[in-house]
Amino acid sequence: MNNNVLVVVTVGLVLLLNMEACYGQLKIGFYKGKCDYEDVESIVNKVVNESFASDRSIAAALLRMQFHDCFVTGCDASLLLDGDTSEKKAVANLNVRGFEIIDKAKTALEQACPGIVSCADIIAMATRDAVALSGGSVARYEVETGRRDGLTSEQANVDLPRPQIPVSNAIEFFVNKGLSDTDMIVLLGAHTVGVAHCNFFRNRLWNFGGTGSADPTMDPVLVETLKSQCPESANNDGDVVNLDQNPSSSNVVDNSFYQQIRLNRGILEIDQKLALDPSTTAVVATMANDGVTFLNLFGKSMVKMGGIGVLTGTDGQIRLKCSSANAI
Ligand code: HEM
Ligand SMILES: *[C@@H]1O[C@H](CO)[C@@H](O)[C@H](O)[C@H]1NC(C)=O
């Protein structure tokens, strides 16, 4: 091949690859100018504000929703799809809540500019807004957008960690998705809001590891309180307790989760182990001591989580309704 041709071909190839890269990336403000004169982010923000006014626990709902969406086939809103064997039907997802908030935002956006904003991006924007409402201005982070929606959702793909997972496996679970061990510690800080059902931690109260007694790493005062909320006879699995046992901040996105687990007041086994494991205890101490650092890192890690396995460019689709893929 003649040298000039080689140069032209190479330059062309490099340009093409570059275009692909730009085209396929998330960015802050992706929807600017794409929805007539409307501001997509503020349409979502308005819906989240209205929902928050009647239910201050929506940050917990949406944080868990985004986690469960992103760690199963990427942040593609596959969790939102209805179906007999869709992800929603997996045991790990039975208590995921907040779908109606995403639907409300989607309806408002379809009115403003049909077919433009993905359900996957709505999850990211709405979660950010709910976190900001629950944690104040320091908790607000800029989200990247430009995701597209997935076409399929299968219960069988749902492989989310159980609360008994060892710390090293939890780290591995995050590292496998391109996140770091610090991201794992920081994102588990989402357990600063929301609730857990008795069945996820009852064993720690009544029969830890077949011992017939409580988990010795749990504060005995907390054990007694929780025993009355979650009796041994498992007939109250619908009952819940706050993941953050500091009563003044159970619904606040802040660093008190780390303070609580350092006081042996973690609810889930993984929460408590995070404070005790030699590989995570130092970062936990840092988070417990500095709420601003935690909130800064939390936003950054949420953005990283929001980038897992995303569909961009012409991949996937922009769903018209978040609970079903578009008819072809
Ligand atoms: C090793 C990792 C994790 C495990 C084993 C785990 C496990 C759990 C379990 C068992 C519950 C209680 C569910 C229920 O009773 O309905 C829960 C709740 C929750 N999780 Fe996690 N989780 C993990 C990581 C995360 C991450 C990374 C986030 C978000 C960034 C998150 C956000 C939440 C929230 C906000 C709740 C409360 C939900 C509500 O109030 O409806 N979790 N988690
Ligand atoms: C939502 O509420 C926040 C906090 O009160 C406020 O700053 C923001 O302007 C509101 N957003 C919209 C679109 O109304």
Side-chain angles (χ1 to χ4, degrees):
M1 205 188 302
N2 153 328
N3 258 349
N4 279 341
V5 173
L6 195 69
V7 167
V8 169
V9 169
T10 313
V11 167
L13 207 68
V14 167
L15 278 177
L16 203 76
L17 287 171
N18 259 335
M19 256 171 59
E20 268 292 301
C22 291
Y23 201 50
Q25 270 168 10
L26 301 182
K27 62 175 196 178
I28 291 170
F30 175 85
Y31 291 111
K32 277 217 176 86
K34 291 196 171 71
C35 184
D36 297 329
Y37 295 103
E38 303 264 17
D39 179 355
V40 164
E41 298 210 13
S42 92
I43 292 174
V44 174
N45 192 206
K46 186 162 172 278
V47 169
V48 173
N49 280 1
E50 286 162 8
S51 304
F52 185 79
S54 60
D55 179 2
R56 300 183 71 86
S57 81
I58 66 167
L62 294 172
L63 279 165
R64 187 157 188 246
M65 178 192 288
Q66 190 174 358
F67 169 50
H68 284 208
D69 182 43
C70 290
F71 274 81
V72 178
T73 68
C75 310
D76 62 351
S78 53
L79 175 57
L80 306 185
L81 290 174
D82 284 337
D84 291 342
T85 62
S86 76
E87 290 174 28
K88 279 182 185 178
K89 297 287 164 67
V91 175
N93 286 329
L94 293 180
N95 297 312
V96 174
R97 54 200 182 91
F99 297 107
E100 71 292 345
I101 304 165
I102 306 300
D103 289 341
K104 234 167 123 186
K106 181 62 171 171
T107 303
L109 287 165
E110 288 301 300
Q111 242 150 42
C113 50
I116 299 293
V117 184
S118 69
C119 300
D121 278 339
I122 297 173
I123 295 176
M125 292 185 277
T127 303
R128 181 274 307 278
D129 292 338
V131 166
L133 285 170
S134 308
S137 56
V138 190
R140 193 177 190 285
Y141 51 90
E142 294 297 332
V143 282
E144 295 177 340
T145 41
R147 295 171 192 78
R148 291 168 62 87
D149 298 321
L151 304 173
T152 58
S153 176
E154 278 304 325
Q155 180 178 355
N157 292 334
V158 179
D159 184 19
L160 289 160
R162 293 167 359 102
Q164 292 82 8
I165 187 173
V167 170
S168 58
N169 295 34
I171 290 174
E172 194 189 339
F173 178 73
F174 279 68
V175 168
N176 284 342
K177 300 284 179 187
L179 275 65
S180 69
D181 46 356
T182 305
D183 290 322
M184 192 281 284
I185 302 168
V186 167
L187 288 172
L188 206 64
H191 289 173
T192 180
V193 289
V195 295
H197 293 75
C198 293
N199 57 303
F200 287 111
F201 59 89
R202 181 181 281 107
N203 67 316
R204 297 191 68 207
L205 311 176
W206 297 99
N207 187 14
F208 184 66
T211 57
S213 47
D215 183 340
T217 67
M218 188 187 280
D219 169 8
V221 177
L222 180 61
V223 170
E224 289 316 310
T225 311
L226 295 178
K227 273 183 166 175
S228 66
Q229 289 172 280
C230 301
E232 189 169 17
S233 54
N235 56 5
N236 67 331
D237 281 345
D239 290 4
V240 295
V241 309
N242 291 325
L243 285 164
D244 177 354
Q245 280 290 311
N246 175 349
S248 67
S249 82
S250 297
N251 262 328
V252 181
V253 175
D254 62 5
N255 66 337
S256 83
F257 166 77
Y258 299 99
Q259 297 166 351
Q260 289 296 308
I261 60 178
R262 277 165 63 77
L263 295 168
N264 301 323
R265 295 169 61 80
I267 297 296
L268 304 177
E269 204 176 315
I270 180 64
D271 295 352
Q272 192 52 61
K273 287 194 293 206
L274 198 70
L276 300 172
D277 195 282
S279 69
T280 49
T281 189
V283 177
V284 167
T286 306
M287 297 302 140
N289 291 329
D290 184 350
V292 173
T293 296
F294 164 64
L295 289 177
N296 282 328
L297 291 179
F298 187 69
K300 290 197 172 74
S301 293
M302 284 298 292
V303 170
K304 264 174 93 173
M305 183 174 89
I308 297 174
V310 292
L311 301 169
T312 55
T314 54
D315 293 341
Q317 62 180 203
I318 303 295
R319 257 177 240 158
L320 299 175
K321 195 165 168 262
C322 291
S323 57
S324 58
N326 300 338
I328 303 166

